[in-house]
């Protein structure tokens, strides 16, 4: 089969096949990010022409057939015969890995795509590619299918005197099995960024897939100065003029633009090396941070803003409120890190330091008002940091294993390996409803204590055991853990039973009905009969001998089990020793189990007593109360003193080995308009910082201190849930942006609907899925019911596990910042102090977006 191919041709074919066999090695993923990377690779070639001074206009088109075209007015890819391959230079570039001009040692002085994979990989991963080259008054065309040239290069005279290259490609659905639909806004963000980084280049972006066609044009003569202005357009600048530094040393080109703002409490520094966003930092950003701190401290002392006895301003103080962009062009860049987005060239640090230091010092000396304004903000930040120092020390951790005390409401996982651990941040105990604090629980020691009383006794070190229905349907005993207030000032309803008992709880708290299933309190009707504690206890025969009772994780062998009919008709007293001693405990080490025999006094039903536990009425209450819940390990249900079983907190909808849950009470502070002192005094934020193992704001992010490598925001699918999600995203973006940039932050995707048809049930995660299921999967006359999950509390723990928390079945979004400038601007608009930009945003996009589902 291969005998007709030359050795070079065989090598080409093997290279293309390697790309198609393992595309992830070349573009990272075959998901949306890898798909869009194809566009960036082709555009990078045109940007290289612009960097070399030959290209001024780049056109990018989304075509109606799903293909993409990138056209530039550069010199055009060479078409003469390549000395090594014997093919045209164009075909060599399109089919041989890394054979572009930027890899040829002299093709380009600086290349924007040096860490990229080359257009040959785009060719290999496309169903087809059409290339047109205009040069030397001729037009050259060639078609490729899955990387293979379909014929020789065709050459015709050109009627127009133009130069340039046009590449049109359609991604291969055999590779991108999840779809090949490009997102306009994702590509637009990258093209806008490239236009800012390469001042003077015009990029035209057109979407032909819609009618009428949509087109944007990006052209910024001011380059990165305009970039900073764009990011700060909704902020109040401390100084109107944007500080700009430009220079070149040892063939390294440096551009820096800086502007401080009044209404910002964190910095936003973007670094680029050869047009590549260095999200992991690098030597260019290190050099910039060092020179900023040194220069401003020197000027502060020169202008007597700092006394000799006072400490220098810290780097985070100097950068508070700063928006900056640094762009370097390095002939031979060295990229480091897992994602190859950290510049490693050591010489760049010194070049940035010296160039910026000279220009910035001169600029501030000639503009004392600007210097004073920046220094006053930095000194104010320094004082706020000092005021919060004691609170900050709470979040300093010696190591992942030896840490400061964790917040009490954290339900931690047992694993101490951060790489396998994940934490779910939820609003209150959003999954699983709660009861009024005066609601009483039936305890195994014969008492009926309220939630408030259980909380108080456990605070004194006492233990409690409740009745629970095990998985085999039999009644058992289980330890009560983590009694707590779950929501303050919560909306509640009152459930009235036919035995005269009334229960006050949140509408979403699940009750166990007679068939063993669960139903939210608000959905109960007078036709519902609840699972009865009396009936379950009466199922035991009076002479039954128990081999063992598994209570709270220990097994006590029973040598004697006595059953008594006295005491009370509805009381159970497991005792140690004499009947009537209200305690249940395991035998001490070495103690004879006969001396620790447990007498279980079984509830006997009075013949005249009703035991239906039918629901009589459901009433919505106007008053709001603090509500409580408990955890019951292993079985997740417990009996109330009223004689019915209810479900406990959905903290059980997790795998304790590697999954932790941190409930936050209410909404956290809006970091966008809060200074450091308030941040470190806020209880909820302090809990979040401590639980995650985060360091001090502004310090270099150290992943070794992070307690969980997957941080999942899990909120309700309502307006409040969306607001809490946005507040948390704002916190992570502003407080420790490295968490976002390095892919630690995720958003849980619980289902919106549960559809039941007969004995089958289906979960739908969107309205489109629901419509498709009902219209296309069910017969026209099908009977089914639809449940809308407005909150996680309406789901049983097993449902929450199966749909949202089980790694094998769940869907989860990882938060990624493709367009950092746009993300920064949107956070400022939606979460900042100024009302006018927010109103303008809502008026502009409100009709086009479902803002309740807006994830920023």
């Amino acid at each position: 089969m291969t005998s007709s191919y030359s050795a070079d041709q065989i090598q080409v074919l093997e290279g293309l096949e390697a790309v198609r066999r393992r595309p992830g090695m070349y573009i990272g993923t075959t998901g949306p990010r890898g798909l869009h990377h194809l566009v960036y690779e082709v555009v990078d070639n045109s940007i290289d022409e612009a960097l070399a001074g030959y290209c001024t206009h780049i056109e990018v088109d989304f075509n109606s057939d799903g293909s993409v075209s990138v056209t530039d007015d550069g010199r055009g890819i060479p078409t003469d015969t390549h000395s090594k391959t014997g093919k045209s230079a164009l075909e060599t570039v399109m089919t041989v890995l890394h054979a572009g001009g930027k890899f040829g040692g002299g093709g380009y002085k600086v290349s924007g795509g040096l860490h990229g994979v080359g257009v040959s990989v785009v060719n290999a991963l496309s169903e087809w590619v059409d290339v047109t080259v205009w040069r030397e008054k001729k037009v050259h065309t060639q078609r490729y299918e899955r990387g293979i040239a379909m014929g020789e290069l065709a050459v015709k005279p050109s009627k127009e005197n133009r130069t340039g290259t046009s590449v049109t490609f359609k991604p291969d659905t055999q590779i991108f099995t999840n779809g090949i639909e490009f997102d306009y806004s994702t590509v637009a963000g990258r093209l806008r960024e490239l236009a800012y980084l390469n001042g003077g280049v015009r990029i035209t972006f057109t979407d032909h897939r819609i009618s009428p066609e949509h087109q944007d044009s990006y052209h910024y003569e001011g380059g990165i100065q305009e970039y900073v202005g764009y990011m700060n357009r909704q902020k109040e600048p401390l100084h109107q003029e944007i500080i700009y530094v430009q220079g070149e040393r040892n063939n390294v080109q440096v551009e820096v633009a800086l502007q401080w703002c009044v209404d910002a409490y964190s910095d936003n520094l973007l670094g680029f090396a050869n047009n590549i966003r260095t999200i992991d930092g690098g030597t260019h950003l290190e050099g910039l941070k060092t020179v900023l701190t040194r220069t401003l401290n020197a000027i502060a002392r020169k202008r007597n803003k700092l006394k000799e006895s006072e400490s220098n301003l810290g780097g985070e103080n100097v950068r508070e409120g700063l928006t900056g962009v640094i762009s370097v062009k390095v002939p031979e860049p060295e990229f480091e890190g897992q994602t190859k987005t950290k510049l490693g060239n050591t010489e760049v640090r010194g070049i940035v330091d010296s160039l910026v230091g000279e220009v910035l010092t001169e600029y501030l000396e000639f503009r004392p008002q600007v210097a004073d304004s920046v220094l006053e903000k930095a000194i104010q930040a320094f004082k706020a940091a000092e005021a919060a120092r004691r609170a900050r020390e709470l979040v300093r951790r010696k190591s992942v294993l030896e840490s400061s005390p964790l917040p009490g409401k954290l339900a931690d996982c047992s694993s101490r390996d951060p790489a396998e651990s994940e934490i779910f941040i939820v609003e209150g105990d959003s999954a699983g409803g709660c009861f009024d604090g005066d609601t009483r629980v039936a305890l195994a020691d014969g008492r009926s204590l309220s939630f408030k009383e259980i909380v108080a006794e456990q605070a004194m070190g006492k233990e409690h055991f409740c009745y629970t229905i095990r998985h085999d349907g039999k009644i058992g005993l289980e330890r009560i853990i983590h009694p707590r207030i779950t929501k303050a000032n919560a909306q509640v309803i009152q459930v009235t039973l036919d035995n005269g008992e009334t229960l006050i709880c949140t509408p979403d708290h699940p009750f166990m009905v007679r068939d063993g299933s669960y139903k939210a309190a608000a959905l109960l009707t007078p036709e519902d009969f609840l699972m009865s504690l009396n009936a379950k206890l009466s199922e035991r025969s009076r002479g039954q001998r128990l081999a063992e009772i598994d209570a709270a994780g220990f097994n006590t062998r029973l040598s004697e089990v006595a059953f008594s009919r006295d005491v009370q008709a509805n009381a159970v007293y497991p005792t140690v020793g004499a009947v009537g001693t209200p305690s249940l405990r395991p035998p001490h080490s070495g103690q004879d189990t006969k001396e620790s025999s447990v007498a279980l006094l079984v509830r006997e039903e009075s013949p005249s007593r009703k035991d239906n536990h039918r629901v009589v009425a459901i009433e919505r209450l106007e008053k709001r109360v603090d509500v409580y819940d408990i955890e019951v390990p292993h079985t997740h249900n417990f009996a109330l003193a009223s004689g019915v079983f209810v479900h406990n907190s959905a903290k059980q909808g997790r795998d304790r080995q590697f999954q932790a849950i941190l409930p936050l009470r209410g909404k956290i502070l809006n970091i966008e308009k809060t200074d450091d002192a308030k941040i470190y005094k806020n209880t909820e934020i302090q809990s979040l910082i401590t639980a995650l193992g985060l360091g001090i704001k502004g310090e270099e992010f150290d992943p070794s201190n992070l307690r969980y490598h997957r941080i999942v925001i899990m909120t309700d699918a309502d307006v409040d849930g969306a607001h809490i999600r946005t507040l948390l995203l704002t916190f992570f973006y502003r407080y420790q942006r490295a968490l976002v940039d390095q892919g630690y932050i995720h958003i849980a995707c619980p289902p919106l609907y549960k559809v039941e048809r007969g004995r089958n049930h289906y979960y739908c995660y969107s309205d489109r899925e629901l419509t498709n299921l009902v219209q296309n999967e069910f017969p026209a006359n099908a009977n089914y019911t639809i449940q809308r999950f407005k909150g996680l509390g309406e789901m049983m723990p097993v449902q929450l596990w199966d749909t949202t928390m089980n790694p094998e079945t769940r869907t989860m979004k990882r938060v990624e910042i493709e367009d950092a400038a746009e993300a920064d601007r949107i956070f400022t608009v939606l979460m900042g102090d100024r009302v006018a930009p927010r109103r303008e945003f809502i008026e502009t996009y409100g009709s086009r977006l479902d803002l309740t589902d807006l994830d920023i």
Side-chain angles (χ1 to χ4, degrees):
M1 291 290 293
T2 60
S3 58
S4 60
Y5 294 101
S6 67
D8 287 337
Q9 289 173 322
I10 292 174
Q11 187 176 3
V12 167
L13 292 173
E14 289 176 345
L16 295 172
E17 180 59 29
V19 175
R20 292 182 59 81
R21 189 168 57 250
R22 302 185 67 183
M25 287 186 60
Y26 297 87
I27 59 172
T29 171
T30 56
R33 172 174 282 206
L35 179 69
H36 291 85
H37 191 87
L38 302 184
V39 182
Y40 307 152
E41 281 295 335
V42 181
V43 172
D44 277 345
N45 285 341
S46 299
I47 290 293
D48 289 342
E49 282 289 283
L51 289 173
Y54 298 104
C55 171
T56 60
H57 188 201
I58 301 170
E59 298 174 74
V60 180
D61 297 88
F62 282 172
N63 301 315
S64 57
D65 63 354
S67 65
V68 179
S69 298
V70 179
T71 306
D72 65 51
D73 61 353
R75 293 168 293 180
I77 298 175
T79 55
D80 51 342
T81 303
H82 196 278
S83 58
K84 291 184 179 179
T85 64
K87 298 289 185 178
S88 69
L90 172 62
E91 186 173 338
T92 302
V93 167
M94 296 298 297
T95 59
V96 178
L97 299 183
H98 306 310
K102 54 193 163 190
F103 298 96
Y108 295 117
K109 179 181 177 182
V110 173
S111 170
L114 259 175
H115 90 316
V117 296
V119 73
S120 58
V121 169
V122 178
N123 189 21
L125 300 179
S126 296
E127 181 182 334
W128 54 263
V129 177
D130 284 332
V131 184
T132 303
V133 175
W134 295 273
R135 58 181 293 143
E136 299 169 352
K137 297 184 179 180
K138 295 176 183 178
V139 57
H140 307 75
T141 59
Q142 194 167 25
R143 183 179 177 87
Y144 303 84
E145 295 182 4
R146 295 187 169 91
I148 307 299
M150 297 290 104
E152 298 295 325
L153 181 67
V155 184
K156 294 181 181 178
S158 176
K159 297 180 180 179
E160 49 187 339
N161 186 21
R162 64 172 292 185
T163 59
T165 303
S166 178
V167 177
T168 301
F169 68 94
K170 186 175 183 179
D172 193 347
T173 54
Q174 294 180 7
I175 303 295
F176 301 96
T177 55
N178 292 326
I180 59 170
E181 183 175 353
F182 291 95
D183 179 66
Y184 188 89
S185 61
T186 298
V187 175
R190 175 59 177 162
L191 296 181
R192 183 193 304 111
E193 190 174 73
L194 286 170
Y196 279 125
L197 294 170
N198 300 275
V201 176
R202 180 182 300 278
I203 301 178
T204 304
F205 187 22
T206 309
D207 193 344
H208 300 280
R209 301 172 301 178
I210 57 177
S211 181
E213 297 176 351
H214 180 75
Q215 184 178 91
D216 286 311
S217 183
Y218 311 108
H219 180 234
Y220 310 107
E221 290 292 345
I224 63 171
Q225 286 176 278
E226 287 194 50
Y227 200 4
V228 170
Y230 171 78
M231 286 188 281
N232 285 346
R233 61 180 181 160
Q234 264 87 33
K235 299 178 184 178
E236 182 183 349
L238 199 60
H239 51 98
Q240 291 299 323
E241 185 180 23
I242 295 173
I243 302 170
Y244 180 67
V245 179
Q246 182 182 32
E248 179 177 346
R249 284 186 186 167
N250 300 330
N251 293 324
V252 175
Q253 303 169 33
V254 178
E255 274 190 287
V256 177
L258 307 168
Q259 188 179 45
W260 278 264
C261 293
V262 175
D263 51 348
Y265 297 99
S266 59
D267 65 77
N268 184 34
L269 280 180
L270 303 185
F272 298 87
N274 294 18
N275 289 325
I276 303 303
R277 170 104 191 280
T278 50
I279 60 174
D280 294 327
T283 52
H284 55 326
L285 276 165
E286 292 167 7
L288 178 61
K289 291 178 180 179
T290 298
V291 72
L292 285 173
T293 305
R294 189 184 67 247
T295 301
L296 283 169
N297 271 299
I299 292 177
R301 296 201 180 279
K302 187 174 182 179
R303 299 187 60 78
N304 294 320
K305 297 292 183 181
L306 288 178
K307 299 177 181 178
E308 288 187 11
S309 59
E310 293 178 323
S311 303
N312 274 345
L313 299 170
E316 67 275 11
N317 309 138
V318 165
R319 297 192 302 274
E320 182 170 295
L322 172 64
T323 299
V325 174
I326 177 170
S327 176
V328 296
K329 306 288 173 57
V330 186
E332 296 182 4
E334 299 170 5
F335 290 101
E336 301 175 353
Q338 185 176 358
T339 56
K340 303 298 182 186
T341 50
K342 181 177 183 179
L343 185 66
N345 298 69
T346 55
E347 72 277 10
V348 174
R349 184 187 295 108
I351 293 172
V352 170
D353 190 315
S354 60
L355 276 175
V356 175
E358 294 170 7
V359 177
L360 183 61
T361 299
E362 182 179 351
Y363 180 93
L364 294 176
E365 284 182 346
F366 279 93
R367 294 168 180 80
Q369 289 183 334
V370 174
D372 288 346
S373 297
V374 173
L375 288 172
E376 285 170 11
K377 183 170 180 63
I379 291 170
Q380 184 180 12
F382 176 76
K383 290 179 179 179
E386 287 297 304
R389 181 176 297 279
R390 181 175 298 177
R392 287 186 173 197
E393 291 303 319
L394 293 177
V395 299
R396 290 193 181 274
R397 310 174 66 86
K398 297 179 181 178
S399 67
V400 176
L401 296 177
E402 296 178 48
S403 61
S404 56
L406 295 173
K409 56 189 172 182
L410 171 68
D412 206 0
C413 56
S414 57
S415 173
R416 289 298 175 262
D417 180 3
E420 72 173 18
S421 303
E422 55 190 33
I423 184 170
F424 289 81
I425 303 172
V426 301
E427 43 180 313
D429 279 324
S430 52
C434 320
F435 281 92
D436 173 70
D438 293 324
T439 306
R440 295 188 171 274
V441 179
L443 298 182
D445 63 8
R447 296 182 297 165
S448 296
L449 292 188
S450 70
F451 282 95
K452 290 179 181 177
E453 291 169 331
I454 292 173
V455 169
E457 286 197 2
Q458 290 212 3
M460 295 186 292
K462 294 185 179 181
E463 291 186 332
H464 303 85
F465 302 90
C466 63
Y467 293 100
T468 184
I469 295 179
R470 300 192 180 282
H471 299 296
D472 60 5
K474 297 179 180 179
I475 195 163
L477 302 177
E478 187 56 79
R479 184 194 302 271
I480 292 175
I481 63 174
H482 205 213
R484 68 218 177 274
I485 293 179
T486 52
K487 294 179 184 177
N489 198 32
Q491 178 184 328
V492 291
I493 62 175
Q494 179 174 282
V495 179
T496 303
L497 305 179
D498 64 351
N499 62 3
E501 296 277 358
T502 57
L503 302 170
I504 296 175
C505 62
T506 55
D508 55 1
H509 200 108
F511 282 66
M512 182 184 285
V513 295
R514 194 62 62 86
D515 64 3
S517 63
Y518 293 94
K519 204 169 185 180
L523 301 177
L524 294 172
T525 68
E527 284 74 40
D528 288 318
F529 290 85
L530 303 181
M531 183 67 77
S532 167
L533 173 63
N534 293 335
K536 294 301 291 185
L537 285 171
S538 295
E539 290 176 5
R540 296 184 184 276
S541 64
R542 294 174 193 163
Q544 177 185 9
R545 291 181 61 84
L546 300 181
E548 59 182 336
I549 293 178
D550 180 8
F554 64 85
N555 294 325
T556 303
R557 205 70 171 159
L558 301 180
S559 56
E560 285 186 30
V561 180
F563 294 89
S564 172
R565 298 183 187 179
D566 63 358
V567 194
Q568 293 180 12
N570 293 302
V572 178
Y573 293 82
T575 63
V576 175
V579 172
T581 307
S583 63
L584 175 65
R585 60 180 183 268
H588 296 295
S589 177
Q591 185 178 357
D592 192 322
T593 55
K594 289 185 179 180
E595 297 176 8
S596 305
S597 60
V598 177
L600 180 63
L601 309 183
V602 180
R603 256 180 222 222
E604 289 255 339
E605 215 181 310
S606 171
S608 62
R609 181 181 177 84
K610 283 188 176 182
D611 191 36
N612 285 334
H613 288 99
R614 182 174 63 84
V615 176
V616 174
I618 305 292
E619 180 185 359
R620 186 185 186 94
L621 301 183
E622 292 298 325
K623 70 174 182 178
R624 289 176 172 265
V625 300
D626 294 348
V627 290
Y628 292 68
D629 206 354
I630 61 176
E631 284 191 55
V632 182
H634 309 119
T635 57
H636 322 318
N637 65 72
F638 61 97
L640 297 176
S642 59
V644 299
F645 284 88
V646 294
H647 215 291
N648 75 298
S649 165
K651 279 201 177 131
Q652 305 302 329
R654 65 181 176 115
D655 186 327
R656 279 187 170 80
Q657 172 61 29
F658 68 97
Q659 291 179 324
I661 290 187
L662 177 67
L664 296 179
R665 185 182 300 177
K667 297 176 180 178
I668 69 168
L669 275 180
N670 182 357
I671 299 295
E672 187 70 21
K673 40 189 176 184
T674 306
D675 60 26
D676 282 3
K678 290 181 181 178
I679 290 174
Y680 286 98
K681 291 177 182 177
N682 182 266
T683 303
E684 296 305 302
I685 290 183
Q686 196 60 255
S687 296
L688 188 57
I689 292 172
T690 306
L692 298 181
L694 296 177
I696 304 304
K697 179 183 176 185
E699 286 185 350
E700 194 72 22
F701 174 66
D702 184 358
S704 67
N705 290 334
L706 193 61
R707 301 187 70 246
Y708 315 92
H709 282 187
R710 186 176 287 106
I711 301 166
V712 187
I713 300 171
M714 188 165 69
T715 59
D716 291 344
D718 57 13
V719 175
D720 282 340
H723 190 200
I724 293 171
R725 183 169 62 242
T726 304
L727 287 168
L728 285 167
L729 288 170
T730 305
F731 168 77
F732 290 125
Y733 187 79
R734 295 299 191 200
Y735 182 91
Q736 280 286 12
R737 185 139 119 229
L739 285 174
V740 180
D741 290 337
Q742 296 180 28
Y744 290 109
I745 308 299
H746 298 73
I747 295 175
C749 300
L752 292 178
Y753 301 98
K754 179 186 180 183
V755 182
E756 292 189 4
R757 178 171 175 251
R759 294 184 178 181
N760 298 320
H761 65 267
Y762 311 84
Y763 293 105
C764 298
Y765 292 80
S766 66
D767 290 322
R768 183 167 57 182
E769 278 190 34
L770 176 65
T771 302
N772 180 66
L773 175 69
V774 172
Q775 294 183 354
N776 301 328
E777 303 294 331
F778 290 172
N781 60 348
N783 291 322
Y784 56 85
T785 59
I786 299 175
Q787 180 184 356
R788 171 70 157 89
F789 294 123
K790 295 182 180 179
L792 298 172
E794 296 183 21
M795 302 173 68
M796 297 300 104
V798 67
Q799 293 176 326
L800 190 65
W801 168 256
D802 290 340
T803 63
T804 312
M805 302 182 75
N806 185 349
E808 296 182 2
T809 57
R810 70 191 180 192
T811 299
M812 195 173 286
K813 298 177 183 177
R814 184 167 66 183
V815 179
E816 297 176 345
I817 305 295
E818 291 287 347
D819 185 352
E822 186 64 11
D824 185 86
R825 188 184 72 83
I826 292 296
F827 274 118
T828 301
V829 169
L830 295 182
M831 309 304 290
D833 285 318
R834 302 174 67 188
V835 176
R838 184 157 47 249
R839 181 187 296 116
E840 179 185 352
F841 180 91
I842 294 172
E843 290 173 350
T844 302
Y845 297 102
S847 60
R848 286 187 271 167
L849 295 175
D850 179 4
L851 292 182
T852 63
D853 291 330
L854 180 64
D855 284 343
I856 308 168

